Amino acid sequence: MQYDPNPNANTWAMILHFSQFAGYVVPIAGFLAPIVIWQLKKDDIPSLDAHGRNVTNWLITEFLFSILCTILLFVGIGFLGFLILAVLSVIFPIIGGIKASQGEVWKYPLTIHFV
């Protein structure tokens, strides 16, 4: 990772990861807040771009997995898929936020790369 002269870079990266939890308060905010933070701050904080891409890729992948789990409900295993997805949607942002606070960019496992 390149040096970022902004002393708040790690804090903003951590906020970006943790902003996914805003969806537990306002349903769509968990998808919108990270993308809005990324788009507003990526020019001021260059290192935030990698974090924003990782989180956005995870959000799109998570959405696609939820569609797949919905289809699998008819086969009977969709509930298990939703349970796993729910656990991962809590664990991944926490790990990403902790790593971001230490200045590391952590790529979420199982993520399809779109952006």
Side-chain angles (χ1 to χ4, degrees):
M1 188 169 100
Q2 66 186 14
Y3 172 72
D4 196 337
N6 191 328
N8 297 321
N10 293 350
T11 304
W12 276 107
M14 183 179 63
I15 290 170
L16 177 74
H17 287 278
F18 289 152
S19 67
Q20 295 176 68
F21 294 126
Y24 294 117
V25 179
V26 178
I28 197 73
F31 288 103
L32 292 180
I35 295 170
V36 169
I37 291 170
W38 171 41
Q39 291 301 313
L40 291 176
K41 290 292 189 178
K42 72 179 181 179
D43 294 330
D44 298 335
I45 307 170
S47 65
L48 197 65
D49 189 47
H51 293 280
R53 288 179 187 278
N54 288 336
V55 170
T56 302
N57 284 327
W58 168 247
L59 292 173
I60 295 169
T61 302
E62 185 179 26
F63 177 71
L64 293 175
F65 284 162
S66 67
I67 291 172
L68 179 63
C69 290
T70 302
I71 293 168
L72 290 175
L73 281 173
F74 297 108
V75 181
I77 60 172
F79 178 74
L80 179 61
F82 273 122
L83 183 63
I84 293 168
L85 192 58
V87 170
L88 294 179
S89 68
V90 171
I91 292 174
F92 284 177
I94 291 173
I95 294 172
I98 291 170
K99 296 280 189 180
S101 72
Q102 299 167 349
E104 297 177 44
V105 177
W106 185 69
K107 292 188 178 187
Y108 290 30
L110 308 172
T111 301
I112 303 167
H113 297 281
F114 296 98
V115 294

